[in-house]
Amino acid sequence: GAGVSQSPSNKVTEKGKDVELRCDPISGHTALYWYRQSLGQGLEFLIYFQGNSAPDKSGLPSDRFSAERTGGSVSTLTIQRTQQEDSAVYLCASSPGQGRYEQYFGPGTRLTVT
Amino acid sequence: QQPVQSPQAVILREGEDAVINCSSSKALYSVHWYRQKHGEAPVFLMILLKGGEQKGHDKISASFNEKKQQSSLYLTASQLSYSGTYFCGTEKPQAGTALIFGKGTTLSVSS
């Protein structure tokens, strides 16, 4: 079946502009995660959605970052007033829930802030 | 809270074995292992949900020592396809299944 998809695959934006990154999780997966990976670095947790529960936003680095998940499916990560330090690969993952915790990652969106 | 992985890098020839360790200063409830090849997304390898659990996947296996708050990933008779960066992830406290990942161990296998 289809895996996790993300769009766009690449995004170049000017400092100060807003960007939206989209994630389509695997159909039926109840949990959705956003991570960030800077060049040569590990994976940094950003935000986590589980079903209809309030999201865990504790990993968001600043109030310029926000995310929503509509209808328990598609998620959008929004970065306002982008800064150069926001440049990274943003990865989305989903997991089935119901006792299954493995995470399936999308290909990521490479964000470059100039 | 971030788990510590060791070593940072491993260089092997085909057929050699390697062990990657993941340890935490906090209690571990589960440990996930993922492999990421250059330019690709991380791929799930296995999850260990309780102390003493061991799992295997082809010639890659893992153990979880809950008391020692550590997990080890064993790669036996390594193949070229094993090259990549291996990450362990531990559950972020009170955040369901969101993970805190280690910084990764880069494995390079040559012929």
Side-chain angles (χ1 to χ4, degrees):
Chain A
V4 177
S5 61
Q6 292 186 244
S7 61
S9 55
N10 280 284
K11 177 72 176 178
V12 180
T13 190
E14 292 180 353
K15 177 181 173 181
K17 295 285 181 70
D18 299 350
V19 295
E20 286 189 352
L21 311 180
R22 178 187 168 104
C23 171
D24 281 90
I26 294 173
S27 178
H29 281 197
T30 60
L32 186 148
Y33 317 81
W34 283 97
Y35 296 93
R36 178 169 72 174
Q37 187 170 35
S38 302
L39 187 63
Q41 299 298 310
L43 297 148
E44 176 189 4
F45 165 76
L46 296 177
I47 188 169
Y48 159 60
F49 296 88
Q50 172 59 60
N52 295 321
S53 302
D56 177 359
K57 304 178 183 180
S58 61
L60 296 178
S62 77
D63 58 8
R64 296 185 295 105
F65 288 72
S66 63
E68 62 177 18
R69 187 180 185 191
T70 54
S73 180
V74 172
S75 177
T76 302
L77 178 69
T78 302
I79 308 173
Q80 295 179 313
R81 305 180 303 281
T82 52
Q83 304 293 313
Q84 287 188 329
E85 60 263 29
D86 299 335
S87 296
V89 176
Y90 289 80
L91 291 159
C92 174
S94 68
S95 63
Q98 289 92 48
R100 289 185 56 194
Y101 308 108
E102 68 273 20
Q103 297 185 21
Y104 298 86
F105 282 81
T109 294
R110 181 175 297 278
L111 175 67
T112 303
V113 182
T114 61
Chain B
Q1 289 183 345
Q2 183 180 37
V4 176
Q5 288 187 234
S6 63
Q8 287 185 317
V10 184
I11 299 174
L12 298 175
R13 291 197 179 273
E14 275 187 295
E16 293 182 336
D17 303 338
V19 180
I20 300 171
N21 298 303
C22 174
S23 63
S24 174
S25 58
K26 303 285 187 179
L28 294 176
Y29 302 102
S30 69
V31 179
H32 296 225
W33 286 97
Y34 292 78
R35 176 172 62 206
Q36 184 176 32
K37 293 183 178 289
H38 184 68
E40 299 180 8
V43 173
F44 172 77
L45 292 177
M46 63 191 77
I47 178 174
L48 299 106
L49 293 174
K50 55 187 177 182
E53 186 171 20
Q54 296 186 12
K55 284 193 174 179
H57 174 71
D58 195 6
K59 291 182 179 177
I60 300 174
S61 61
S63 63
F64 178 20
N65 188 320
E66 191 176 16
K67 287 184 179 179
K68 292 185 178 180
Q69 298 173 180
Q70 67 182 34
S71 175
S72 296
L73 187 72
Y74 307 93
L75 300 105
T76 306
S78 59
Q79 306 168 17
L80 293 176
S81 61
Y82 286 3
S83 292
T85 300
Y86 290 78
F87 293 97
C88 69
T90 58
E91 287 186 15
K92 185 176 178 299
Q94 301 174 337
T97 55
L99 298 175
I100 303 295
F101 285 94
K103 292 186 176 181
T105 295
T106 300
L107 178 70
S108 301
V109 182
S110 61
S111 56

